[in-house]
Amino acid sequence: MLSRRRKPKNDRGGNPPRKSGPPNSLFGEILDWMLAPLLFLWPISIIVTHNVADNIANQPYDLALADSVRALARLVSVEDGQVVVHFPAPPRALFRADQDDVVYYQVADDKGATITGDADIPSAPVPVSLIGEDVLLRDALIHGEEVRVAYRYLRPAPEVSDALVLVQVAETRNKRTDLASRVVTGVLLPQFAIIPLAVVLVWVGLSRGIAPLNRLQSLIRRRRPTDLSQVEPSTVPEEVRPLIIAYNDMMARLEENLQAQQRFIADAAHQMRTPLTGLKMQTDLAMHETDPEQLRESLTRIAESTDRAAHLINQLLSLARAEASFEKLYVVETVSLDAVVREVALELFPRAQAKQIDLGVEGGEQELLVEGNPVLLREMVKNLVDNAVKYTPRGGSVTARTRFAGSPILEVEDTGAGIPDADRERVFERFYRVLGSGVDGSGLGLPIVREIADLHRATVTLDANPGGQGTLARVVFPRSHLQPPPLVQGDHDALQ
């Protein structure tokens, strides 16, 4: 009878796998990080240069404007209570305009009324305090045109009155703008030549900097396919030494795998030679046999030998498939471990029934999910259950169990002869079989289980059956983020 028994459910936990994008060119990354800030800072440099040029252009012309204000202030006096300005020459001759700019002047009272000069100059705010002959500067507009204004408040008759007089001289900004433009041009023109030159120098510098990487690439590419020797870390740049150390470690593991494959091929050839040789001898004997009974016995032995050879070949193919590139050839899926166990148990149930073995399946309240390849997982479970059925004597029992104890666990328990402590690790070696078992086998079942378990980052162990005689095989899968699906009504029904 094949029955299904349930265990209490357990919670699951874990984190989903992270994905990463493809890496970019190292040369391109460095070039981007060097040139992108340069191209970003260049417009900022233009703005800063223009502001600095404006300040440079303002300084000499501001000094000249301030001197004009002081000269005009010295011409202001009070006569008979009236503010007058005595010009030694015509005002326009005193405040001469050139071909580039227009100069304005004004003398006004503290109420903004113009005493003399140009009334178009805007009035200036009265400062909190008057300090000596200090002249203040500001920007303004006259007839919609920007001007620079120098001004000063003074008391022409402090002994008589506290009345203030505003003296202002304004000038358009044409010469200043022209000077600032020449400064900016003088600075930016070299930059236009320097930036392309800097790009070329950066390119050449990076090309020479990564030249050791190109030589290393050429060295590795020129190697023969059979050359798995290590690269001396001291011959490469310090920045790539960790990568070379990891590469050497990978080459060492690859060489071990190749040696293991060579040993496997040699062992497989030896194991295949024995049944094929026996099959050839039995075939030769059958060809010369004339007695029908003896011929039937020979054909029976040939059929048995063929079955053993076919089983060995299937085991070898399964092991080769398990050793293949798991990530490239097989897709990782969410697999119900309980469903796999049930399918394998149903497949092997006739064989167990022929030996009168009670084959049972136990599981939790909910389906146990793992991430893996369903084909390989089924091969692993099949080998565990098949070994248990094969090495359990007639009338015994085999139980395939799934449970959750912090991580998914698969257990196959039998009541067979058991495995001695000294052989529990050796049975995972290829073609190794425990002496005295009295059962034909290829010695590849448990190595296949170990190989598939390693591919799924699981651990497999063999222990004595805690319930008595026999063996308990346990496969512990890594902790998973998968949550069990809701329990379906009728899932408790037994498989008869």
Side-chain angles (χ1 to χ4, degrees), residues 216 220 230-253:
L216 178 62
I220 295 176
Q230 297 188 353
V231 177
E232 180 58 40
S234 61
T235 62
V236 301
E238 182 178 357
E239 289 75 12
V240 297
R241 286 179 187 173
L243 177 63
I244 293 303
I245 293 174
Y247 169 82
N248 290 337
D249 182 62
M250 182 185 68
M251 289 295 102
R253 295 196 303 270

Side-chain angles (χ1 to χ4, degrees), residues 1-4 337-353 357-362 378 381-386 389 398-401 412 495-496:
M1 177 182 293
L2 176 61
S3 60
R4 179 168 176 81
L337 195 59
D338 297 270
V340 173
V341 171
R342 288 196 298 267
E343 291 175 5
V344 171
L346 286 173
E347 179 182 349
L348 297 180
F349 178 69
R351 188 180 303 175
Q353 191 176 32
I357 293 176
D358 181 15
L359 177 59
V361 176
E362 294 181 358
R378 190 178 188 281
V381 176
K382 182 178 179 181
N383 277 278
L384 285 174
V385 178
D386 181 64
V389 172
V398 174
T399 302
R401 181 185 303 111
V412 177
L495 296 172
Q496 298 294 336

Side-chain angles (χ1 to χ4, degrees), residues 360-371:
V361 176
E362 294 181 358
E365 288 294 331
Q366 293 178 316
E367 294 290 325
L368 197 61
L369 303 178
V370 296
E371 288 182 336

Side-chain angles (χ1 to χ4, degrees), residues 218-236:
S218 177
L219 174 65
I220 295 176
R221 182 168 292 181
R222 289 198 306 267
R223 286 189 170 191
R224 295 180 177 274
T226 56
D227 185 4
L228 301 179
S229 61
Q230 297 188 353
V231 177
E232 180 58 40
S234 61
T235 62
V236 301

Side-chain angles (χ1 to χ4, degrees), residues 279-339:
L279 185 61
K280 180 65 169 60
M281 293 177 58
Q282 292 168 6
T283 304
D284 291 340
L285 292 176
M287 292 177 61
H288 296 85
E289 189 63 59
T290 57
D291 187 357
E293 291 298 329
Q294 294 295 329
L295 180 60
R296 180 179 296 275
E297 291 182 5
S298 297
L299 292 176
T300 301
R301 287 193 294 270
I302 291 174
E304 292 175 352
S305 298
T306 303
D307 290 339
R308 286 194 295 270
H311 178 70
L312 177 60
I313 292 173
N314 289 331
Q315 293 286 70
L316 291 173
L317 292 176
S318 298
L319 184 60
R321 181 171 56 183
E323 289 180 333
S325 178
F326 182 66
E327 296 294 337
K328 292 183 179 179
L329 298 182
Y330 301 104
V331 178
V332 176
E333 302 175 1
T334 299
V335 182
S336 171
L337 195 59
D338 297 270

Side-chain angles (χ1 to χ4, degrees), residues 388 390-393 396-398 413-419 465 468-471:
K390 183 182 300 182
Y391 289 96
T392 298
S397 64
V398 174
E413 181 182 290
D414 63 65
T415 57
I419 302 175
N465 189 341
Q469 186 178 10
T471 302

Side-chain angles (χ1 to χ4, degrees), residues 7-23:
K7 300 290 184 180
K9 66 179 181 179
N10 292 275
D11 295 334
R12 301 167 184 245
N15 297 316
R18 300 181 63 182
K19 296 182 179 180
S20 59

